[in-house]
Amino acid sequence: MSVKGFDIAIAGGGVIGLALARALAGEGARIAVIDAAEAGEGAIPPASHAAAGMLAPSFEYGELPEALSKALYHFGARGLSLWGEYAAALEEETGLSIDYRPHGMLAIAYGENDKTPLEEQAAMVSALGGAAEMISGDAARAMEPALSDAVIAALHAPKDAQVDPRRLMKALKASLAQKGAPIFAMRLARIEKDGEGHRLVSAGGDHVEADRVVLAAGAVSGLAPQGLVYPVKGEAMAVALEDGLLTRVVRAPGAYLCPKAGGRLVIGATEEIGREDLKVEPAAVAGLQANAAKAVPPLGRAAELERWAGLRPGTPDGAPILGLDGEGRYLALGHYRNGILHAPAAAEAMAALVLGRETPVDIAPFGLGRF
Ligand code: GLY
Protein backbone atom coordinates (compact mmCIF):
# COMPACT_ATOMS: atom_id res chain seq x y z
CA MET A 1 0.00 0.00 0.00
CA SER A 2 1.24 3.46 -0.82
CA VAL A 3 -0.96 6.43 -0.02
CA LYS A 4 -0.06 10.07 -0.68
CA GLY A 5 -1.58 13.47 -0.61
CA PHE A 6 -2.13 14.16 3.07
CA ASP A 7 -1.37 17.48 4.72
CA ILE A 8 -0.73 15.83 8.06
CA ALA A 9 -0.17 12.23 9.13
CA ILE A 10 -0.65 11.39 12.79
CA ALA A 11 1.22 8.34 14.05
CA GLY A 12 -0.93 7.03 16.89
CA GLY A 13 -4.59 6.11 17.18
CA GLY A 14 -5.03 6.71 20.92
CA VAL A 15 -7.17 9.48 22.33
CA ILE A 16 -4.52 12.16 21.69
CA GLY A 17 -3.97 11.19 18.05
CA LEU A 18 -7.69 10.88 17.34
CA ALA A 19 -8.64 14.12 19.11
CA LEU A 20 -5.91 15.99 17.25
CA ALA A 21 -6.98 14.42 13.95
CA ARG A 22 -10.55 15.55 14.59
CA ALA A 23 -9.42 19.10 15.39
CA LEU A 24 -7.24 19.33 12.27
CA ALA A 25 -9.78 17.69 9.97
CA GLY A 26 -12.35 20.14 11.37
CA GLU A 27 -10.15 22.95 10.03
CA GLY A 28 -10.12 21.47 6.56
CA ALA A 29 -6.73 19.72 6.64
CA ARG A 30 -6.34 16.36 4.87
CA ILE A 31 -5.50 14.02 7.71
CA ALA A 32 -4.42 10.39 7.97
CA VAL A 33 -4.10 8.50 11.25
CA ILE A 34 -1.76 5.50 11.52
CA ASP A 35 -3.01 3.11 14.19
CA ALA A 36 -0.79 0.20 15.23
CA ALA A 37 -3.47 -1.15 17.58
CA GLU A 38 -5.39 -2.60 14.65
CA ALA A 39 -2.33 -3.98 12.87
CA GLY A 40 -2.87 -7.70 13.39
CA GLU A 41 -1.75 -10.28 15.90
CA GLY A 42 0.12 -9.07 18.97
CA ALA A 43 -1.06 -5.50 18.49
CA ILE A 44 -1.35 -3.59 21.78
CA PRO A 45 -4.50 -1.52 22.32
CA PRO A 46 -3.90 2.15 23.15
CA ALA A 47 -3.75 3.11 26.83
CA SER A 48 -6.99 5.02 26.17
CA HIS A 49 -8.78 1.69 25.84
CA ALA A 50 -7.71 0.70 29.36
CA ALA A 51 -8.28 4.11 30.96
CA ALA A 52 -10.90 4.84 33.59
CA GLY A 53 -11.69 8.27 32.17
CA MET A 54 -11.29 10.42 35.28
CA LEU A 55 -11.01 14.13 34.49
CA ALA A 56 -9.12 15.22 37.58
CA PRO A 57 -6.39 17.82 37.10
CA SER A 58 -5.34 17.79 40.74
CA PHE A 59 -4.49 14.09 40.87
CA GLU A 60 -2.79 11.45 38.75
CA TYR A 61 0.68 12.96 38.62
CA GLY A 62 2.83 10.70 40.73
CA GLU A 63 6.24 12.16 41.48
CA LEU A 64 6.68 15.36 39.52
CA PRO A 65 9.45 17.96 39.74
CA GLU A 66 8.10 21.16 41.20
CA ALA A 67 9.07 23.28 38.21
CA LEU A 68 6.63 21.39 35.98
CA SER A 69 3.80 20.79 38.39
CA LYS A 70 2.10 24.19 37.95
CA ALA A 71 2.28 24.05 34.17
CA LEU A 72 0.91 20.53 34.23
CA TYR A 73 -1.88 21.44 36.63
CA HIS A 74 -2.92 24.35 34.40
CA PHE A 75 -2.79 22.17 31.29
CA GLY A 76 -5.03 19.59 32.99
CA ALA A 77 -7.33 22.35 34.23
CA ARG A 78 -7.58 23.64 30.66
CA GLY A 79 -8.57 20.12 29.57
CA LEU A 80 -11.22 19.93 32.28
CA SER A 81 -12.61 23.35 31.37
CA LEU A 82 -12.97 22.30 27.72
CA TRP A 83 -14.49 18.89 28.43
CA GLY A 84 -18.15 19.85 28.91
CA GLU A 85 -18.50 21.54 25.53
CA TYR A 86 -16.19 19.00 23.91
CA ALA A 87 -18.38 16.10 25.03
CA ALA A 88 -21.59 17.83 23.96
CA ALA A 89 -20.20 18.70 20.51
CA LEU A 90 -18.82 15.20 19.90
CA GLU A 91 -22.08 13.58 20.98
CA GLU A 92 -24.12 15.89 18.79
CA GLU A 93 -21.83 15.36 15.82
CA THR A 94 -21.80 11.57 16.03
CA GLY A 95 -25.06 10.72 17.80
CA LEU A 96 -23.00 8.58 20.22
CA SER A 97 -23.02 8.96 23.99
CA ILE A 98 -19.64 9.16 25.69
CA ASP A 99 -21.12 9.11 29.23
CA TYR A 100 -19.65 12.46 30.31
CA ARG A 101 -20.44 12.97 34.02
CA PRO A 102 -19.61 16.29 35.66
CA HIS A 103 -20.48 15.09 39.17
CA GLY A 104 -17.24 15.80 41.01
CA MET A 105 -14.84 13.62 42.94
CA LEU A 106 -14.28 12.62 46.56
CA ALA A 107 -10.82 11.52 47.71
CA ILE A 108 -11.33 9.84 51.06
CA ALA A 109 -9.22 9.38 54.19
CA TYR A 110 -9.53 6.71 56.88
CA GLY A 111 -7.05 8.31 59.29
CA GLU A 112 -4.72 11.25 59.83
CA ASN A 113 -2.04 9.66 57.62
CA ASP A 114 -4.38 9.73 54.63
CA LYS A 115 -5.91 13.07 55.56
CA THR A 116 -2.74 15.18 55.74
CA PRO A 117 -1.74 14.71 52.07
CA LEU A 118 -5.31 15.46 51.02
CA GLU A 119 -5.26 18.70 53.02
CA GLU A 120 -2.00 19.66 51.33
CA GLN A 121 -3.47 18.76 47.96
CA ALA A 122 -6.61 20.83 48.59
CA ALA A 123 -4.49 23.83 49.63
CA MET A 124 -2.30 23.50 46.53
CA VAL A 125 -5.27 23.21 44.16
CA SER A 126 -7.00 26.19 45.78
CA ALA A 127 -3.82 28.25 45.53
CA LEU A 128 -3.65 27.43 41.80
CA GLY A 129 -7.24 28.60 41.31
CA GLY A 130 -8.91 25.18 41.26
CA ALA A 131 -11.90 23.91 43.21
CA ALA A 132 -11.05 21.62 46.13
CA GLU A 133 -12.23 21.66 49.75
CA MET A 134 -11.81 19.38 52.72
CA ILE A 135 -15.04 18.04 54.17
CA SER A 136 -15.87 15.74 57.08
CA GLY A 137 -16.62 12.04 56.81
CA ASP A 138 -20.28 12.77 57.54
CA ALA A 139 -20.41 15.40 54.81
CA ALA A 140 -18.87 12.89 52.39
CA ARG A 141 -21.45 10.27 53.39
CA ALA A 142 -24.21 12.83 52.89
CA MET A 143 -23.05 13.03 49.26
CA GLU A 144 -22.35 9.33 48.86
CA PRO A 145 -24.35 7.37 51.45
CA ALA A 146 -22.68 4.07 50.54
CA LEU A 147 -19.29 5.26 51.84
CA SER A 148 -17.97 3.37 54.83
CA ASP A 149 -18.29 4.73 58.38
CA ALA A 150 -14.49 4.42 58.51
CA VAL A 151 -14.14 7.52 56.28
CA ILE A 152 -13.14 10.43 58.55
CA ALA A 153 -12.63 13.16 55.92
CA ALA A 154 -12.50 13.74 52.20
CA LEU A 155 -11.18 16.13 49.60
CA HIS A 156 -14.15 17.22 47.50
CA ALA A 157 -13.36 18.42 43.97
CA PRO A 158 -16.80 19.54 42.79
CA LYS A 159 -15.75 20.36 39.22
CA ASP A 160 -13.97 17.10 38.44
CA ALA A 161 -15.75 14.90 35.94
CA GLN A 162 -15.37 11.65 34.06
CA VAL A 163 -16.10 10.16 30.69
CA ASP A 164 -16.20 6.61 29.31
CA PRO A 165 -12.94 6.22 27.34
CA ARG A 166 -14.10 3.34 25.15
CA ARG A 167 -17.25 5.20 24.14
CA LEU A 168 -15.08 8.26 23.57
CA MET A 169 -12.73 6.37 21.25
CA LYS A 170 -15.67 5.02 19.29
CA ALA A 171 -17.14 8.50 18.93
CA LEU A 172 -13.82 10.02 17.85
CA LYS A 173 -13.44 7.32 15.18
CA ALA A 174 -16.99 7.97 13.99
CA SER A 175 -16.21 11.68 13.80
CA LEU A 176 -13.12 11.03 11.68
CA ALA A 177 -15.10 8.75 9.38
CA GLN A 178 -17.67 11.54 8.95
CA LYS A 179 -14.90 14.01 8.16
CA GLY A 180 -13.31 11.68 5.61
CA ALA A 181 -10.06 11.25 7.56
CA PRO A 182 -8.83 7.65 7.13
CA ILE A 183 -7.27 5.50 9.86
CA PHE A 184 -4.64 3.08 8.48
CA ALA A 185 -3.89 -0.07 10.49
CA MET A 186 -0.09 -0.14 10.31
CA ARG A 187 2.77 -0.80 12.70
CA LEU A 188 5.40 1.77 11.77
CA ALA A 189 9.00 0.69 11.36
CA ARG A 190 10.35 4.16 10.59
CA ILE A 191 9.57 7.66 9.45
CA GLU A 192 11.69 8.99 6.59
CA LYS A 193 12.23 12.51 5.36
CA ASP A 194 10.86 12.81 1.84
CA GLY A 195 11.92 16.16 0.40
CA GLU A 196 9.88 18.69 2.33
CA GLY A 197 7.53 15.96 3.53
CA HIS A 198 7.58 12.71 5.47
CA ARG A 199 7.10 9.06 4.58
CA LEU A 200 5.72 6.77 7.30
CA VAL A 201 6.80 3.22 6.53
CA SER A 202 5.61 -0.10 7.98
CA ALA A 203 7.80 -3.20 8.45
CA GLY A 204 6.10 -4.70 5.38
CA GLY A 205 6.97 -1.66 3.25
CA ASP A 206 3.53 -0.03 3.17
CA HIS A 207 3.76 3.71 3.40
CA VAL A 208 1.80 6.88 3.87
CA GLU A 209 3.16 10.25 2.73
CA ALA A 210 2.28 13.60 4.22
CA ASP A 211 3.62 17.14 4.33
CA ARG A 212 3.78 17.14 8.13
CA VAL A 213 3.85 14.39 10.71
CA VAL A 214 2.77 14.26 14.34
CA LEU A 215 4.03 11.55 16.68
CA ALA A 216 1.21 10.67 19.07
CA ALA A 217 2.04 7.00 19.43
CA GLY A 218 1.92 5.00 22.64
CA ALA A 219 4.25 3.37 25.09
CA VAL A 220 5.55 0.52 22.94
CA SER A 221 5.65 2.12 19.49
CA GLY A 222 9.39 2.76 19.67
CA LEU A 223 8.78 6.09 17.92
CA ALA A 224 9.45 8.49 20.79
CA PRO A 225 12.72 10.41 20.51
CA GLN A 226 15.54 9.07 22.70
CA GLY A 227 13.25 6.32 24.02
CA LEU A 228 11.71 8.89 26.36
CA VAL A 229 8.26 7.27 26.43
CA TYR A 230 8.02 3.90 28.14
CA PRO A 231 5.23 1.64 29.41
CA VAL A 232 3.79 1.91 32.89
CA LYS A 233 1.49 -1.05 33.17
CA GLY A 234 -1.86 -0.73 34.93
CA GLU A 235 -4.39 -3.44 35.79
CA ALA A 236 -8.04 -2.60 36.36
CA MET A 237 -11.42 -4.26 36.61
CA ALA A 238 -15.14 -3.57 36.30
CA VAL A 239 -17.83 -4.86 38.63
CA ALA A 240 -21.60 -4.70 38.48
CA LEU A 241 -22.88 -1.48 40.05
CA GLU A 242 -26.17 -1.51 41.92
CA ASP A 243 -28.48 1.27 40.75
CA GLY A 244 -27.84 4.43 42.75
CA LEU A 245 -24.94 3.06 44.83
CA LEU A 246 -22.43 5.73 43.73
CA THR A 247 -22.70 8.98 41.78
CA ARG A 248 -19.22 10.50 41.95
CA VAL A 249 -15.72 9.25 41.34
CA VAL A 250 -14.31 8.06 44.68
CA ARG A 251 -10.59 7.94 45.15
CA ALA A 252 -9.66 5.69 48.07
CA PRO A 253 -6.30 4.49 49.33
CA GLY A 254 -5.32 1.73 46.90
CA ALA A 255 -8.20 2.08 44.42
CA TYR A 256 -10.28 4.57 42.50
CA LEU A 257 -13.94 3.91 41.75
CA CYS A 258 -15.63 5.27 38.63
CA PRO A 259 -19.36 4.65 38.22
CA LYS A 260 -20.30 4.33 34.53
CA ALA A 261 -23.49 3.96 32.53
CA GLY A 262 -25.06 0.55 32.16
CA GLY A 263 -24.54 -0.68 35.76
CA ARG A 264 -20.76 -0.80 35.55
CA LEU A 265 -18.17 0.39 38.04
CA VAL A 266 -14.55 0.67 36.93
CA ILE A 267 -12.02 0.06 39.69
CA GLY A 268 -8.37 0.92 39.06
CA ALA A 269 -5.49 0.62 38.94
CA THR A 270 -2.10 -0.89 39.62
CA GLU A 271 1.09 0.75 38.42
CA GLU A 272 4.20 -1.10 37.36
CA ILE A 273 7.13 0.21 35.35
CA GLY A 274 9.01 -2.06 32.99
CA ARG A 275 6.28 -4.54 32.03
CA GLU A 276 5.09 -4.70 28.42
CA ASP A 277 2.58 -7.53 28.79
CA LEU A 278 -1.17 -7.30 29.30
CA LYS A 279 -1.44 -10.22 31.74
CA VAL A 280 -3.72 -9.49 34.69
CA GLU A 281 -2.53 -10.94 38.00
CA PRO A 282 -5.40 -12.39 40.10
CA ALA A 283 -3.87 -10.86 43.24
CA ALA A 284 -3.97 -7.43 41.62
CA VAL A 285 -7.72 -7.46 40.93
CA ALA A 286 -8.42 -9.05 44.32
CA GLY A 287 -6.49 -6.20 45.93
CA LEU A 288 -8.36 -3.56 43.94
CA GLN A 289 -11.75 -5.01 44.85
CA ALA A 290 -10.76 -5.30 48.53
CA ASN A 291 -9.61 -1.67 48.60
CA ALA A 292 -12.83 -0.60 46.85
CA ALA A 293 -14.92 -2.59 49.36
CA LYS A 294 -13.14 -0.93 52.27
CA ALA A 295 -14.41 2.41 50.91
CA VAL A 296 -17.86 1.20 49.81
CA PRO A 297 -18.65 -2.05 51.67
CA PRO A 298 -21.36 -3.41 49.31
CA LEU A 299 -18.67 -3.66 46.61
CA GLY A 300 -17.19 -6.65 48.43
CA ARG A 301 -19.97 -8.78 46.97
CA ALA A 302 -20.26 -7.07 43.57
CA ALA A 303 -19.94 -9.45 40.61
CA GLU A 304 -16.87 -8.98 38.43
CA LEU A 305 -17.67 -8.02 34.83
CA GLU A 306 -14.22 -7.69 33.33
CA ARG A 307 -10.53 -7.37 34.12
CA TRP A 308 -7.87 -5.87 31.88
CA ALA A 309 -4.46 -4.26 31.70
CA GLY A 310 -3.06 -1.36 29.71
CA LEU A 311 0.26 0.33 29.12
CA ARG A 312 0.35 3.99 30.05
CA PRO A 313 2.83 6.11 28.08
CA GLY A 314 5.14 7.24 30.90
CA THR A 315 7.92 9.82 30.66
CA PRO A 316 10.92 10.41 32.96
CA ASP A 317 9.26 13.32 34.76
CA GLY A 318 5.60 12.36 34.37
CA ALA A 319 4.71 15.26 32.06
CA PRO A 320 3.85 14.95 28.36
CA ILE A 321 6.17 15.85 25.50
CA LEU A 322 4.58 18.50 23.27
CA GLY A 323 6.21 20.54 20.55
CA LEU A 324 8.71 19.78 17.78
CA ASP A 325 11.76 17.55 17.57
CA GLY A 326 14.96 18.48 15.73
CA GLU A 327 13.77 16.81 12.52
CA GLY A 328 10.64 18.83 11.94
CA ARG A 329 8.28 16.28 13.47
CA TYR A 330 5.57 17.40 15.86
CA LEU A 331 5.36 15.57 19.19
CA ALA A 332 2.22 14.88 21.22
CA LEU A 333 3.50 12.05 23.40
CA GLY A 334 3.68 10.68 26.91
CA HIS A 335 0.40 11.69 28.53
CA TYR A 336 0.97 8.98 31.14
CA ARG A 337 -2.08 8.86 33.48
CA ASN A 338 -3.85 11.86 31.97
CA GLY A 339 -4.46 11.29 28.29
CA ILE A 340 -8.24 11.46 28.51
CA LEU A 341 -8.15 14.65 30.62
CA HIS A 342 -5.58 16.26 28.36
CA ALA A 343 -7.13 15.27 25.02
CA PRO A 344 -9.15 18.46 24.27
CA ALA A 345 -6.32 20.71 25.51
CA ALA A 346 -3.65 18.76 23.64
CA ALA A 347 -5.78 18.76 20.48
CA GLU A 348 -6.32 22.53 20.52
CA ALA A 349 -2.69 23.28 21.39
CA MET A 350 -1.15 20.89 18.87
CA ALA A 351 -3.61 21.88 16.12
CA ALA A 352 -2.59 25.51 16.67
CA LEU A 353 1.11 24.62 16.61
CA VAL A 354 0.84 22.49 13.46
CA LEU A 355 -1.21 25.16 11.68
CA GLY A 356 1.24 27.92 12.67
CA ARG A 357 -0.95 29.76 15.20
CA GLU A 358 -0.24 30.78 18.76
CA THR A 359 -1.23 28.01 21.18
CA PRO A 360 -4.07 28.86 23.60
CA VAL A 361 -1.93 27.65 26.52
CA ASP A 362 1.83 27.80 26.81
CA ILE A 363 3.23 24.39 25.98
CA ALA A 364 6.88 25.44 26.13
CA PRO A 365 7.37 23.72 29.54
CA PHE A 366 6.51 20.40 27.86
CA GLY A 367 9.10 20.68 25.10
CA LEU A 368 11.63 17.96 24.29
CA GLY A 369 14.47 20.34 25.21
CA ARG A 370 13.83 19.82 28.92
CA PHE A 371 15.46 16.39 28.84
N1 GLY B 1 -5.64 7.82 35.20
C1 GLY B 1 -5.81 6.59 35.87
C2 GLY B 1 -4.68 5.69 35.79
O1 GLY B 1 -3.72 5.96 35.09
O2 GLY B 1 -4.74 4.67 36.42
Side-chain angles (χ1 to χ4, degrees):
M1 179 190 79
S2 160
V3 201
K4 307 177 185 207
F6 296 104
D7 298 318
I8 302 152
I10 298 176
V15 70
I16 300 294
L18 296 181
L20 176 57
R22 174 172 176 262
L24 289 166
E27 300 220 31
R30 289 165 303 166
I31 302 297
V33 174
I34 316 294
D35 184 10
E38 300 293 332
E41 215 179 309
I44 302 275
S48 323
H49 182 77
M54 292 178 291
L55 308 176
S58 47
F59 280 85
E60 298 295 306
Y61 290 141
E63 296 298 312
L64 193 72
E66 204 179 330
L68 266 184
S69 68
K70 278 189 190 165
L72 193 52
Y73 173 80
H74 287 303
F75 195 66
R78 174 74 180 170
L80 180 63
S81 74
L82 293 171
W83 252 110
E85 280 182 24
Y86 193 85
L90 184 60
E91 289 187 341
E92 176 161 339
E93 182 188 328
T94 61
L96 297 171
S97 164
I98 60 168
D99 198 21
Y100 170 72
R101 296 177 175 219
H103 302 323
M105 184 272 294
L106 288 171
I108 59 170
Y110 300 123
E112 293 303 320
N113 282 354
D114 305 330
K115 190 176 159 190
T116 306
L118 293 180
E119 286 171 339
E120 289 167 6
Q121 186 89 352
M124 182 202 86
V125 171
S126 304
L128 291 171
E133 53 171 357
M134 288 305 291
I135 59 171
S136 67
D138 285 340
R141 275 181 293 277
M143 290 181 191
E144 294 290 354
L147 280 177
S148 160
D149 289 343
V151 175
I152 61 151
L155 181 160
H156 178 220
K159 295 196 173 153
D160 280 11
Q162 59 162 327
V163 70
D164 184 321
R166 294 186 192 170
R167 291 175 186 246
L168 167 64
M169 296 291 282
K170 205 169 152 193
L172 287 171
K173 286 180 181 176
S175 165
L176 292 186
Q178 279 170 222
K179 293 183 192 322
I183 300 178
F184 297 109
M186 274 168 65
R187 205 168 307 161
L188 292 177
R190 60 188 186 279
I191 299 175
E192 299 167 348
K193 257 321 236 175
D194 177 28
E196 292 297 297
H198 302 264
R199 184 184 297 118
L200 297 87
V201 188
S202 77
D206 292 334
H207 61 268
V208 172
E209 292 177 21
D211 296 342
R212 279 160 283 176
V213 64
V214 182
L215 303 186
V220 290
S221 69
L223 291 174
Q226 304 153 38
L228 283 168
V229 178
Y230 55 82
V232 183
K233 181 177 172 180
E235 294 147 297
M237 69 187 304
V239 298
L241 179 66
E242 268 170 52
D243 234 11
L245 188 72
L246 271 186
T247 304
R248 294 161 185 78
V249 170
V250 172
R251 193 179 286 272
Y256 51 73
L257 286 54
C258 306
K260 305 290 184 190
R264 186 177 158 89
L265 177 77
V266 172
I267 305 174
T270 61
E271 183 160 286
E272 197 177 352
I273 296 175
R275 291 270 300 262
E276 297 199 3
D277 63 278
L278 295 180
K279 185 173 182 305
V280 183
E281 302 293 346
V285 285
L288 290 172
Q289 187 159 6
N291 292 336
K294 185 171 175 194
V296 178
L299 294 177
R301 49 177 194 275
E304 182 179 334
L305 300 176
E306 191 189 343
R307 56 178 70 183
W308 66 88
L311 302 177
R312 306 175 183 92
T315 61
D317 58 15
I321 304 172
L322 303 175
L324 267 167
D325 71 6
E327 296 169 58
R329 301 185 291 201
Y330 294 89
L331 307 174
L333 295 163
H335 290 266
Y336 183 33
R337 297 180 68 108
N338 283 302
I340 310 290
L341 169 68
H342 288 175
E348 71 167 7
M350 290 305 299
L353 189 70
V354 173
L355 297 175
R357 294 194 303 253
E358 196 177 332
T359 60
V361 290
D362 181 19
I363 57 168
F366 307 124
L368 184 61
R370 76 183 190 272
F371 295 108

